Amino acid sequence: MASDDVSVDDKVKRTRDLLSSFYSQDASQISPPANTTSRFATLDTINTTSFDADQYMNLLVRKSSLEGLLQRHVEMAAEIKNLDTDLQMLVYENYNKFISATDTIKRMKNNIVGMEVNMEQLLDKIMSVQSRSDGVNSLLFEKREHIEKLHRTRNLLRKVQFIYDLPTTLQKCIKSEAYSDAVRFYTGAMPIFKAYGDSSFKDCKKASEELMTVIINKLEDKVSSDSESIQARAEAVMLLKQLDFPVENLKSKLLEKLEQFLEELDLSKDISADSANPRESINEGIESDSIPPHPEVPTREFVEAVHAYHVIFPDSEQHLVKLMHDLTTRHFEAAKQQIQEQISSAKLSNRLRFIWTDVLLIDEVLPEAGLQDFALEAARVVVKQYVTSLFSNLLQEISDTLLQIQKDGTGEEYPLRAALEASKNALIQGSIKVLSDTRYLLDEDLGLILKLRDMIINWVQEGFQTFFNQLNDQLLLLSGKNVPTDKVSSGLVLVITELSVFIERDAISRIIEEIGSSLLGGSYEYGGSAFVPAEIRHTFRSAGEKFLQRYVSMRTQRISVLLRKRLTTPNWVKHKEPREVHMFVDLFLQELGAVGSEVKQILPQGLTRRHSRTESNGSTSSSRNTTLRDNRSNTNRARSQLLETHLAKLFKQKMEIFTKVEHTQESVMMTIVKRCLKSMQEFVRLHTFNRSGFQQIQLDMQYLRITLKDSTDDEAAVEFLLDEVIVAAAERCVDPSPLEPAILDRLVQAKLAKTVDQGPAAS
């Protein structure tokens, strides 16, 4: 196959060389010099036009062996045979073409045989038509000349009549204030006045000039009049310019009018959708040096006047560009002012559409201003301010909802629960409203918004991140971070605590879903976003623990103040024999009841865990009471028994007072009770008691032992701390002789009965 391909290629090459040699120029013109051929002669020169047979044979004999010569002979014989065949085929092919060309020429001769006769007949007819046409022209020549002369005379008479009627026409234009028509008529008559104004039409020219002087004065007054619109004044300047009136002195005056109009332009009003949406093309207006009017929108008139001013004074671009930038700046300043007044997304969209329509309009009449980039940068600031205002309003709404707790909630059964639900609803619904308002802007088919789309989405995510950080700071402020606890509502702190837990557990997940569906068109992508949910969750988890700890501290501090007053006021050394439970116990239980009422409204219930005293605790307590009763004999024996009490503490179960507070009702109540009883123990250690004072402490603690049993879930801890208070009083007592059990029980039962009787009366 390879040999066949080579033979075909060689055949094509030989045929091409043969055709080239046949149709080429004279060999003498293209053959190289003899010395060049002899110098560089090779065996390949056989295919060139400068082939020398003798030289080729000498070279072949000198370089080839006998076998090579025989082989070359066979090859050359085959080549000669192939060339003969190719040449024969070439002759046959050209012969067919010559036969075809001969037949074509014969057919052409047969077709042209009768054409000469037809052409001669056509020429005769053309000559006949021409002679008859010349005859008609000669007959109608005089009448045609007369008609044309009459037509010229008629046109001339019309012009003359127009000139004579010009003063009357100008007077009519003055009366109807059609100054543009007057200028058009007068400028049309100016060539005739220049040619014949000093002779035939002298009076008409004089009267027309006087009337034009009146018109010029009126146009000047119109330019200076504040009652005229800017468009009307610009048209007056254009008419004066057509009259070759020196209008340069009016340039500064009209520019001042433009600046004054811009200063007096009121852009603070709401823009309706009807006036913001439509935008008419001004291409026709530009071609006719005027812009279609838009009387319902004041800025349209201003833009039209600027366009006219630019046409009249082409060298005033710098001043006009400044005016256009000032107009756009005022537009966005008005938008900023409305944003501060909590403008809706629909109104902001209408405002931006109105601004962008003006920007495109100005860009067509004054492209030198480059207003699109300027407006885009200003819009970026305004839209970012709007997004920021949405979160600021949401933050303010949540703060206002929480501050309602400090007001009087009389008549409302669960004020704290209502405040918590209101704050949760304000957070979730407010966040959804922020996203819906943003979605409304993004859905607008407005070039300005489309260019800012990615930025707006990023601003919203940044806004949520900043909002939650600011909300955390605001909650810290409302919880009285740097304020005395007596000036802050404990219920407010408890609501803030639960709100923080809600944000960490539920709100963040809900907002992530809303961001994904409203802005991102799918699921939320955590990577590379400005909003970091994990960071916010961690912040509010920590904040919830701090707020709950603060609530416990506030309530404990308030009760501790009560305990301090109780233990500081009387003289315990001269205390009288106890006859009833002291009233401070009622106040103490009342404060604990208020705590219970608050936590039941806000906090969930935890796992019920009732811890009773163990036998070791009971034996210790009974031994302690027995010890105290046996101490009646003398003080030394009592002190020895106190030593036994201290030793018993070493074997007592360890009681943790300051444990971690859980977000449950039981945990908060138990923590406050433990801290208050621990504070009471420390206050008792600061005083010295006589026997009656010690017995009063014993009576009060015994009553608390019974009443606190149902309000706490850790009975063992409560009894332990009550025992600690009694032990501390015994340690500070000069005669720690306790009350008889019967007397103690009788006084406690009397107090319980009195409390039961006061309950229905109070209700």
Side-chain angles (χ1 to χ4, degrees), residues 416-584:
L416 296 184
R417 169 56 62 181
L420 177 60
E421 294 301 327
S423 60
K424 289 181 180 179
N425 185 68
L427 175 61
I428 296 299
Q429 297 302 322
S431 300
I432 294 176
K433 184 178 182 300
V434 168
L435 293 174
S436 63
D437 289 344
T438 307
R439 181 75 261 172
Y440 185 92
L441 282 180
L442 295 178
D443 289 341
E444 287 294 303
D445 186 16
L446 184 61
L448 192 64
I449 297 298
L450 294 177
K451 294 180 179 179
L452 298 175
R453 178 182 178 84
D454 294 338
M455 290 185 181
I456 294 174
I457 295 175
N458 188 54
W459 291 336
V460 172
Q461 298 186 56
E462 288 179 356
F464 272 110
Q465 185 77 13
T466 305
F467 162 73
F468 280 111
N469 290 329
Q470 292 178 347
L471 179 60
N472 181 47
D473 297 338
Q474 184 69 15
L475 295 180
L476 287 173
L477 184 63
L478 292 176
S479 66
K481 179 180 180 181
N482 300 319
V483 179
T485 56
D486 57 346
K487 295 184 179 180
V488 180
S489 171
S490 59
L492 174 61
V493 177
L494 190 60
V495 171
I496 291 175
T497 301
E498 193 62 19
L499 180 61
S500 299
V501 175
F502 171 75
I503 292 173
E504 185 260 329
R505 295 179 180 176
D506 300 325
I508 298 298
S509 300
R510 176 74 180 278
I511 291 174
I512 289 174
E513 294 177 359
E514 293 295 335
I515 292 176
S517 60
S518 298
L519 300 184
L520 305 179
S523 61
Y524 182 82
E525 297 181 1
Y526 289 87
S529 173
F531 180 47
V532 186
E535 180 180 339
I536 299 300
R537 286 194 178 100
H538 175 74
T539 299
F540 279 91
R541 185 186 305 114
S542 176
E545 296 175 355
K546 292 179 181 178
F547 291 140
L548 186 60
Q549 193 68 38
R550 178 165 179 77
Y551 173 77
V552 172
S553 300
M554 289 174 63
R555 278 301 187 179
T556 303
Q557 185 176 356
R558 181 172 178 175
I559 298 176
S560 298
V561 172
L562 175 64
L563 298 176
R564 185 185 295 109
K565 289 182 180 180
R566 162 62 184 139
L567 295 172
T568 305
T569 301
N571 187 353
W572 293 102
V573 178
K574 298 180 180 181
H575 200 277
K576 296 181 180 181
E577 184 177 345
R579 297 183 180 275
E580 62 178 355
V581 178
H582 196 272
M583 62 177 296
F584 101 92

Side-chain angles (χ1 to χ4, degrees), residues 661-674:
V661 186
E662 303 293 336
H663 287 271
T664 60
Q665 301 175 13
E666 295 79 8
S667 178
V668 172
M669 282 294 300
M670 194 62 213
T671 301
I672 293 176
V673 170
K674 289 193 296 184

